[in-house]
């Protein structure tokens, strides 16, 4: 299990989620920039208190229909004072 997602040529997969209040949005993509665009847009449209996370994931090695989280690659939040979406690489 230690080599999950590290094979040469293995496809990178990212999940993203964004939350604001009691609402949430999420998705899956093979492009980190696409995930960042989705989180950015959701946070801009959602209002105060929004936060988002992008994870690198892999397909379950046991063949179950699910993703295994490998690591957090970025986090975002909406700065309530300026309305800007701020990012931190993890």
């Amino acid at each position: 299990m230690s080599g999950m997602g590290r094979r040469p040529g293995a496809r990178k997969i990212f999940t993203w989620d964004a939350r604001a209040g009691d609402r949430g949005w999420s998705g899956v993509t093979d492009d980190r920039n696409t995930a960042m665009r989705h989180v950015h847009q959701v946070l801009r449209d959602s209002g105060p208190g929004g936060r988002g996370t992008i994870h690198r994931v892999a397909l379950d090695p046991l063949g179950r229909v699910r993703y295994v989280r490998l690591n957090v690659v970025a986090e975002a939040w909406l700065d309530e004072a300026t309305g800007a979406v701020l990012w931190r690489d993890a």
Side-chain angles (χ1 to χ4, degrees):
M1 197 144 88
S2 63
M4 285 188 316
R6 296 189 182 134
R7 295 184 324 264
R11 172 177 278 163
K12 292 183 179 182
I13 306 171
F14 301 93
T15 59
W16 61 270
D17 64 86
R19 306 221 176 282
D22 61 351
R23 297 177 297 168
W25 302 263
S26 61
V28 178
T29 181
D30 64 353
D31 183 68
R32 179 181 171 167
N33 290 330
T34 298
M36 292 179 77
R37 281 194 300 273
H38 284 296
V39 169
H40 184 91
Q41 190 62 49
V42 167
L43 294 181
R44 291 293 307 238
D45 294 344
S46 66
R51 299 193 68 79
T53 307
I54 299 173
H55 288 90
R56 172 89 190 274
V57 298
L59 297 175
D60 188 317
L62 300 177
R64 294 177 287 200
V65 182
R66 70 180 189 113
Y67 296 106
V68 177
R69 286 186 174 173
L70 301 177
N71 60 308
V72 174
V73 296
E75 296 176 314
W77 61 95
L78 185 66
D79 182 343
E80 294 181 29
T82 65
V85 175
L86 304 176
W87 286 92
R88 179 180 70 85
D89 285 335

